[in-house]
Amino acid sequence: MSQRLQRMGDQVQRELSDLIRMELKDPRLGGGMVTISGVKISSDLGYGDVYVTVMGRELNDDLTEQAHQETLDLLNGAAGFLRQELGRRIKTRFTPRLRFHYDKSTAHGNYMADLISKAVKDLPAEDSYGIDENVAEQK
């Protein structure tokens, strides 16, 4: 990706996060905080792929793929409004069409951290030198 596309993606990410937070007041978001984890702009500046997570909903056990899809449908439905407002805020010749995608990396990271904490909890206690305290006491 060229530096120009990267800078534009960063600018779109900043402006979109502000627009979603301040302008998009829809109760169907479920009270979750929409976080934009990245924006990839196509080389012809025609499309912007926006990767999002919904932080308030990440921790709920009852969250399903349907809930993620509802959030994406809401954001994709508001894409025209967001594109129009984005065009007013950034001064470029073309404003990319926005396509929203769910970013699974945060949920996957939380899952992996939970697995690691469960695995570490089952290990025997060791002191700071890596020697098992029980074995050292027996000697």
Side-chain angles (χ1 to χ4, degrees), residues 91-110:
K91 304 297 181 197
T92 58
R93 182 174 289 173
F94 300 106
T95 304
R97 291 188 179 103
L98 303 173
R99 298 183 291 199
F100 291 90
H101 308 280
Y102 180 69
D103 185 12
K104 295 180 181 180
S105 63
T106 303
H108 186 68
N110 290 340

Side-chain angles (χ1 to χ4, degrees), residues 75-95:
L75 290 171
N76 281 316
F81 166 75
L82 292 171
R83 181 182 183 212
Q84 180 182 10
E85 292 298 316
L86 187 64
R88 289 181 183 156
R89 289 185 178 209
I90 60 175
K91 304 297 181 197
T92 58
R93 182 174 289 173
F94 300 106
T95 304

Side-chain angles (χ1 to χ4, degrees), residues 20-34 54 56-57 60 67 70-75 78:
I20 290 172
R21 184 173 40 88
M22 301 299 286
E23 302 292 330
L24 200 60
K25 306 288 187 202
D26 196 315
R28 292 178 291 174
L29 280 177
M33 184 177 77
V34 176
V54 183
R57 300 177 123 189
N60 294 338
E70 289 172 3
T71 302
L72 288 178
D73 290 343
L74 173 70
L75 290 171

Side-chain angles (χ1 to χ4, degrees), residues 1-127:
M1 181 183 299
S2 73
Q3 186 176 6
R4 177 178 179 231
L5 292 176
Q6 183 65 41
R7 282 194 322 256
M8 184 162 183
D10 292 343
Q11 180 70 25
V12 167
Q13 181 175 353
R14 281 190 299 272
E15 295 297 332
L16 269 181
S17 63
D18 188 44
L19 280 170
I20 290 172
R21 184 173 40 88
M22 301 299 286
E23 302 292 330
L24 200 60
K25 306 288 187 202
D26 196 315
R28 292 178 291 174
L29 280 177
M33 184 177 77
V34 176
T35 303
I36 299 175
S37 57
V39 176
K40 292 183 182 176
I41 304 294
S42 65
S43 60
D44 64 352
L45 304 177
Y47 289 94
D49 290 313
V50 183
Y51 296 91
V52 298
T53 58
V54 183
M55 293 305 222
R57 300 177 123 189
E58 284 296 321
L59 302 176
N60 294 338
D61 291 334
D62 60 349
L63 184 62
T64 62
E65 287 292 324
Q66 181 182 358
H68 292 305
Q69 192 59 44
E70 289 172 3
T71 302
L72 288 178
D73 290 343
L74 173 70
L75 290 171
N76 281 316
F81 166 75
L82 292 171
R83 181 182 183 212
Q84 180 182 10
E85 292 298 316
L86 187 64
R88 289 181 183 156
R89 289 185 178 209
I90 60 175
K91 304 297 181 197
T92 58
R93 182 174 289 173
F94 300 106
T95 304
R97 291 188 179 103
L98 303 173
R99 298 183 291 199
F100 291 90
H101 308 280
Y102 180 69
D103 185 12
K104 295 180 181 180
S105 63
T106 303
H108 186 68
N110 290 340
Y111 173 72
M112 294 301 288
D114 187 45
L115 287 177
I116 291 170
S117 67
K118 287 179 183 176
V120 170
K121 185 173 68 173
D122 294 338
L123 292 176
E126 295 182 5
D127 64 3

